[in-house]
Amino acid sequence: MTQVAYLDAHYTGSMRTGKMWAAAATFNTFDQDTVLDREAFRQHPVLVVKSGAIGLQHMLGDGRQTISVIYFEDEVIDFRYLGRVSGKLVCILPVTACLYKGDDFDAMKHDNPQFEASQSAGAARQQYYAAQHSVDLARKSAIEKLASFILECRKRQNLGRALTVSLRLRRTDIADYMGLRVETLSRAFSKLKKMQLIDADETDEIFIRNEPALRQLANGRTIGNRTCWK
Amino acid sequence: MTQVAYLDAHYTGSMRTGKMWAAAATFNTFDQDTVLDREAFRQHPVLVVKSGAIGLQHMLGDGRQTISVIYFEDEVIDFRYLGRVSGKLVCILPVTACLYKGDDFDAMKHDNPQFEASQSAGAARQQYYAAQHSVDLARKSAIEKLASFILECRKRQNLGRALTVSLRLRRTDIADYMGLRVETLSRAFSKLKKMQLIDADETDEIFIRNEPALRQLANGRTIGNRTCWK
């Protein structure tokens, strides 16, 4: 199942800001469901997601499965510091990624204060998403979780106030991430539609019909107009 | 409720490794339940916990409360990057902390590769705990969560294979962190005692009686000898 395809070509990546990165990166593509075995990343242990999504997947002893962290575009996985993490990294969408040698990546940070600051901010953002995700998992109902997830997707795709959000992930992956069974997640989708908070068809596009109410629900507040609930 | 007491004294902190830190730090103590308002940290936005624990506390709209992240000894809170975090930082134990100016802290990292590496490793460790915490919250039962929490405490207190672990936190804080009601947490304690996995009295000391079984339970595996369950 492990599949790691190095390309020979070297590629000088560019940040979204348009700044060129100082060091040469190896540019790679991985099929959906590829497991990123950390041994294969010994030479290039820093991975920056350029498109797609990578999940940190965990299997409990009896087969219950969860995805604890999702890495989207421009997020960084540093295999050097993953030593004790028990899960495995899986491409939950087809992925393109830049890989860097550890020394190159450290030197880029050291030599470029702006890049260093963007990396610190990125790491802090990851911590923020992790904290928010814990709040979602700890005490929220299925529909509250789904409302949160839709808003998280919008934020992490930098869609601003857009009302159309592509969830992109497979339903099983969303369920694993939100700590729900797939059937429970399906019922939550139906319920949000019935409540007229969202429209969703068979594709992964979600149209937000009532943003204030969706946000209220995501934040665990009772929704004012209860008639929309039935 | 907000209480931030700066001391006049300056203090040069030392890492656990014995290395002296390059820059002067302000050394502070905070009572239990002090809220660390980020405005008060404008001048010294980098906080390193030296003793005690700080929780990132969130209140859902209807009053449900959670603690998404706990910062223990030697863990770092950088207020500069907390801008979008919705929760508030609360001392869930009495805390002593070192505070650094942002520039000083950045310069320490920049000038000292060893310190920089230790900070990167620390940030990665925080991510690891966050991922592990998500796994705990997503799909585990109350007794599985409590088993995980006991082992997390042991690990984060660097107790190695010790069989006596001080949980230190109040039961309400543990419940908020593990996404449980206090009564459910109490029942989980009773159940682990009945299963002869732990001993616990009214203090916060836990004695691990059957470590392999506690670990199995934490990892969601069925425990072999079912007779210990009743």
Side-chain angles (χ1 to χ4, degrees):
Chain A
M1 195 166 173
T2 303
Q3 177 192 339
V4 178
Y6 285 116
L7 300 185
D8 289 330
H10 278 256
Y11 168 84
T12 303
S14 64
M15 297 285 290
R16 182 175 281 170
T17 58
K19 303 251 176 280
M20 297 304 275
W21 285 21
T26 303
F27 183 65
N28 280 257
T29 58
F30 305 110
D31 292 338
Q32 194 169 30
D33 294 323
T34 302
V35 175
L36 303 181
D37 182 63
R38 64 195 73 180
E39 271 310 299
F41 289 87
R42 199 176 276 283
Q43 298 300 318
H44 296 80
V46 183
L47 183 157
V48 183
V49 179
K50 302 314 288 178
S51 70
I54 296 171
L56 183 57
Q57 203 176 64
H58 308 255
M59 185 85 80
L60 295 187
D62 64 354
R64 277 170 290 174
Q65 189 167 291
T66 62
I67 293 172
S68 61
V69 184
I70 299 179
Y71 300 90
F72 285 111
E73 277 93 339
D74 289 333
E75 295 179 347
V76 177
I77 299 170
D78 193 329
F79 282 88
R80 292 174 295 176
Y81 300 120
L82 278 180
R84 305 196 304 171
V85 170
S86 60
K88 61 184 182 187
L89 289 160
V90 181
C91 297
I92 54 180
L93 292 174
V95 165
T96 57
C98 287
L99 300 183
Y100 292 89
K101 290 184 180 162
D103 290 347
D104 286 352
F105 194 76
D106 292 344
M108 284 195 300
K109 283 208 291 191
H110 194 265
D111 298 344
N112 184 343
Q114 209 175 345
F115 180 70
E116 155 84 63
S118 79
Q119 289 304 305
S120 295
R125 210 157 42 232
Q126 283 287 101
Q127 274 201 37
Y128 162 79
Y129 292 131
Q132 215 54 45
H133 189 51
S134 287
V135 177
D136 289 347
L137 291 176
R139 299 290 283 269
K140 289 186 182 176
S141 68
I143 53 170
E144 290 169 344
K145 285 179 176 179
L146 179 55
S148 289
F149 180 73
I150 293 168
L151 295 172
E152 180 185 341
C153 281
R154 183 171 73 166
K155 183 180 283 177
R156 292 181 74 172
Q157 291 173 38
N158 295 305
L159 294 176
R161 292 270 161 196
L163 294 180
T164 304
V165 180
S166 162
L167 299 187
R168 301 192 301 167
L169 305 183
R170 290 169 295 202
R171 295 294 159 99
T172 49
D173 292 329
I174 299 174
D176 285 348
Y177 185 57
M178 300 312 294
L180 298 170
R181 288 164 194 278
V182 174
E183 315 84 69
T184 313
L185 181 67
S186 288
R187 279 197 298 275
F189 270 108
S190 305
K191 206 159 176 189
L192 290 191
K193 282 192 263 185
K194 240 188 195 156
M195 291 164 72
Q196 302 188 12
L197 299 188
I198 62 166
D199 273 335
D201 51 23
E202 288 312 300
T203 72
D204 64 354
E205 295 257 292
I206 300 288
F207 179 73
I208 299 173
R209 290 184 64 177
N210 185 341
E211 193 195 7
L214 189 71
R215 190 176 294 281
Q216 274 195 319
L217 184 66
N219 291 331
R221 271 182 230 110
T222 311
I223 293 184
N225 178 10
R226 283 299 198 128
T227 56
C228 69
W229 278 73
K230 29 168 173 45
Chain B
M1 194 168 173
T2 303
Q3 177 193 337
V4 179
Y6 285 116
L7 300 186
D8 289 331
H10 278 257
Y11 168 84
T12 303
S14 65
M15 297 286 290
R16 183 175 280 171
T17 58
K19 303 252 175 276
M20 297 303 274
W21 283 19
T26 303
F27 183 65
N28 280 257
T29 58
F30 305 110
D31 292 338
Q32 193 169 30
D33 294 324
T34 302
V35 175
L36 304 181
D37 182 63
R38 63 194 73 179
E39 271 309 298
F41 289 87
R42 198 176 277 282
Q43 298 300 317
H44 296 79
V46 182
L47 184 158
V48 183
V49 180
K50 301 314 287 179
S51 70
I54 296 171
L56 183 57
Q57 202 175 65
H58 308 254
M59 185 84 81
L60 295 188
D62 64 354
R64 277 169 290 173
Q65 189 167 291
T66 61
I67 292 172
S68 61
V69 184
I70 299 179
Y71 300 90
F72 287 110
E73 277 93 339
D74 289 334
E75 294 179 348
V76 177
I77 300 171
D78 193 328
F79 282 88
R80 293 173 295 177
Y81 300 120
L82 278 180
R84 306 197 303 172
V85 171
S86 60
K88 61 183 182 187
L89 288 160
V90 181
C91 296
I92 53 181
L93 292 174
V95 165
T96 57
C98 286
L99 300 183
Y100 293 87
K101 290 184 180 160
D103 289 347
D104 286 353
F105 194 77
D106 293 344
M108 284 195 300
K109 282 208 290 190
H110 193 264
D111 299 343
N112 184 343
Q114 209 176 344
F115 181 70
E116 154 84 62
S118 79
Q119 289 304 305
S120 295
R125 210 158 41 232
Q126 283 287 100
Q127 275 200 35
Y128 162 78
Y129 292 132
Q132 214 55 45
H133 189 51
S134 287
V135 177
D136 289 347
L137 291 175
R139 299 291 283 269
K140 289 186 182 176
S141 68
I143 53 170
E144 289 169 345
K145 284 179 176 179
L146 178 55
S148 289
F149 180 74
I150 293 168
L151 295 172
E152 180 184 340
C153 281
R154 183 171 73 166
K155 183 180 283 176
R156 293 181 74 172
Q157 291 173 39
N158 294 305
L159 295 176
R161 292 271 160 193
L163 294 180
T164 304
V165 180
S166 162
L167 298 187
R168 300 192 299 168
L169 305 184
R170 291 170 295 204
R171 294 295 158 100
T172 50
D173 292 329
I174 299 175
D176 285 348
Y177 185 56
M178 300 312 294
L180 298 170
R181 289 163 193 277
V182 175
E183 314 85 69
T184 312
L185 182 67
S186 287
R187 279 196 299 274
F189 270 109
S190 306
K191 207 160 175 190
L192 290 192
K193 282 191 263 186
K194 240 188 196 157
M195 291 164 71
Q196 303 188 12
L197 300 188
I198 62 166
D199 274 335
D201 51 24
E202 289 312 299
T203 73
D204 64 354
E205 295 258 292
I206 299 289
F207 179 73
I208 300 172
R209 290 184 64 178
N210 186 341
E211 193 195 6
L214 191 71
R215 189 175 294 282
Q216 274 195 318
L217 185 65
N219 291 332
R221 272 184 228 107
T222 311
I223 294 184
N225 178 9
R226 283 297 198 132
T227 56
C228 69
W229 277 74
K230 35 167 173 32

